[in-house]
């Protein structure tokens, strides 16, 4: 991940204090491409990792980071020998994953997303203190789905699956059957500390665990995983990520069941030792609050 977090009073806030600031200082960002399997690649830059399917049937990308980076993203795609983007899938609505929608839409890409993603882009909103205005028409998905959709493209079947969410209420994972590659969106953030459960966008840690169970069931030891942020991962990494989250939930649930208040739960430091990322995107206190809010939503 190429941006750093700031935490204010336990609330999560991105280092990019709003979409306008998010568009600054992008000149120094390099967008690099890594071929994973024939016809399948990942782009790393600033924001969510971008998955790429390329070949004779056209180019599909998963997520698109920020608008100022689109020329660099397009150049990296061309460097793969790929044609301009034909299909663009958003894993969710957050601005570091859908910020490039408008220029890609204007360039002719067909934008595809889960129904709630379009709804949230239409409405705009605030994520961790960062306000995104209602998206212009060119940035909106023109194809939406409830549970999922499949592309038969470049010699592979690419399933786009709404798992039920967890990070937000509109999360989708993307699976290449033949290539055996899985893009998790922000359902997994590899080597980035604790997950960001965006309660304001319908996220819930218990839904996240259910979604992760589905992803684990889809994978095997040979699956290459593109996480929402961080380096490429394996099924073992995904299992470890899920186990860490489950342990965190158990610890916070135990404090809540014992009658502790949220403030007392935070003070007890129940997540000590769970994260191996000292410069984590989400602080221990912030994740405790997300777990607490998720449990409250389920009456637990």
């Amino acid at each position: 991940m190429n941006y750093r977090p700031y935490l204010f009073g336990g609330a999560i806030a991105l280092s990019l204090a709003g979409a306008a600031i998010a568009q600054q200082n992008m000149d120094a960002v390099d967008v690099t491409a890594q071929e994973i399997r024939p016809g399948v690649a990942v782009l790393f830059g600033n924001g969510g990792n971008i998955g790429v399917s390329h070949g004779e049937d056209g180019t599909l990308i998963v997520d698109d980071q920020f608008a100022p980076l689109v020329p660099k993203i397009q150049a990296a795609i061309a460097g793969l020998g790929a044609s301009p983007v034909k299909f663009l899938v958003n894993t969710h609505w957050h601005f570091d994953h859908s910020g490039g929608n408008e220029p890609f839409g204007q360039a002719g890409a067909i934008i595809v997303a889960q129904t709630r993603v379009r709804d949230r882009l239409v409405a705009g909103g605030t994520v961790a203190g960062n306000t995104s205005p209602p998206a212009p028409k060119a940035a909106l998905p023109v194809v939406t789905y409830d549970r999922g959709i499949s592309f038969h493209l470049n010699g592979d079947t690419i399933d786009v699956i709404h798992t039920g969410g967890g990070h937000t209420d509109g999360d989708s994972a993307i699976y290449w059957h033949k290539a055996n590659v899985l893009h998790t969106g922000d359902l997994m953030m590899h080597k980035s500390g604790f997950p960001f459960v965006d309660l304001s966008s319908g996220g819930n840690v218990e839904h996240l665990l259910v979604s992760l169970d589905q992803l684990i069931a889809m994978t095997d030891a040979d699956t290459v995983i593109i996480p929402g942020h961080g380096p490429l991962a394996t099924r073992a990494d995904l299992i470890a990520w899920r186990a860490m989250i489950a342990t965190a939930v158990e610890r916070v649930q135990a404090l809540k069941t014992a009658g502790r208040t949220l403030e007392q739960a935070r003070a007890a430091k129940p997540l000590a030792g769970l994260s191996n990322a000292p410069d984590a995107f989400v602080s221990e206190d912030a994740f405790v609050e997300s777990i607490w809010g998720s449990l409250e939503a389920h009456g637990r």
Side-chain angles (χ1 to χ4, degrees):
M1 193 181 311
N2 294 317
Y3 51 79
R4 295 166 61 88
Y6 292 85
L7 302 173
F8 299 99
I12 307 163
L14 305 182
S15 64
L16 310 172
I21 295 178
Q23 294 182 7
Q24 296 177 8
N25 303 319
M26 292 294 181
D27 289 345
V29 175
D30 292 324
V31 176
T32 60
Q34 179 180 342
E35 196 85 22
I36 300 172
R37 299 270 162 79
V40 183
V42 60
L43 306 184
F44 300 103
N46 188 319
N49 293 332
I50 299 173
V52 183
S53 168
H54 62 95
E56 64 179 4
D57 297 327
T59 300
L60 175 150
I61 65 171
V62 179
D63 289 340
D64 55 22
Q65 299 187 358
F66 298 103
L69 292 178
V70 167
K72 293 182 180 182
I73 294 167
Q74 291 169 324
I77 291 168
L80 293 167
S83 57
V85 174
K86 185 175 185 179
F87 300 105
L88 163 59
V89 178
N90 291 144
T91 60
H92 61 290
W93 83 283
H94 286 165
F95 62 82
D96 59 325
H97 293 257
S98 65
N101 277 20
E102 184 176 9
F104 274 115
Q106 290 171 336
I110 297 171
I111 304 175
V112 182
Q114 206 274 342
T115 303
R116 294 186 186 91
V117 174
R118 189 182 197 280
D119 291 343
R120 292 191 181 279
L121 287 170
V122 167
T126 300
V127 179
N130 299 271
T131 299
S132 296
K137 181 179 179 180
L140 295 176
V142 297
V143 176
T144 60
Y145 54 88
D146 183 11
R147 296 185 180 180
I149 192 169
S150 295
F151 292 87
H152 304 279
L153 199 68
N154 300 324
D156 210 334
T157 297
I158 306 168
D159 287 341
V160 182
I161 306 158
H162 175 53
T163 61
H167 171 59
T168 70
D169 58 7
D171 302 300
S172 291
I174 293 83
Y175 181 65
W176 283 255
H177 281 258
K178 183 178 178 181
N180 197 11
V181 173
L182 174 68
H183 193 309
T184 68
D186 280 0
L187 294 170
M188 182 184 188
M189 295 163 55
H190 190 36
K191 295 186 177 180
S192 302
F194 298 114
F196 175 25
V197 178
D198 183 6
L199 301 179
S200 69
S201 295
N204 186 287
V205 72
E206 295 195 307
H207 298 166
L208 176 57
L209 289 172
V210 172
S211 290
L212 292 172
D213 285 338
Q214 294 176 58
L215 300 188
I216 290 167
M218 292 165 52
T219 59
D220 59 32
D222 294 324
T223 306
V224 177
I225 296 174
I226 305 172
H229 297 272
L232 296 176
T234 65
R235 184 175 194 266
D237 295 322
L238 181 61
I239 291 170
W241 170 254
R242 198 264 183 212
M244 180 271 288
I245 297 169
T247 299
V249 173
E250 289 172 3
R251 292 182 183 180
V252 174
Q253 178 71 78
L255 291 170
K256 198 170 188 296
T257 301
R260 304 287 183 88
T261 64
L262 173 57
E263 292 72 20
Q264 290 169 333
R266 282 198 304 258
K269 300 296 180 186
L271 308 188
L274 287 183
S275 173
N276 59 4
D279 190 21
F281 175 54
V282 177
S283 73
E284 289 187 19
D285 282 354
F287 190 36
V288 169
E289 291 178 17
S290 294
I291 295 171
W292 195 276
S294 298
L295 294 173
E296 292 264 299
H298 285 273
R300 293 174 56 189

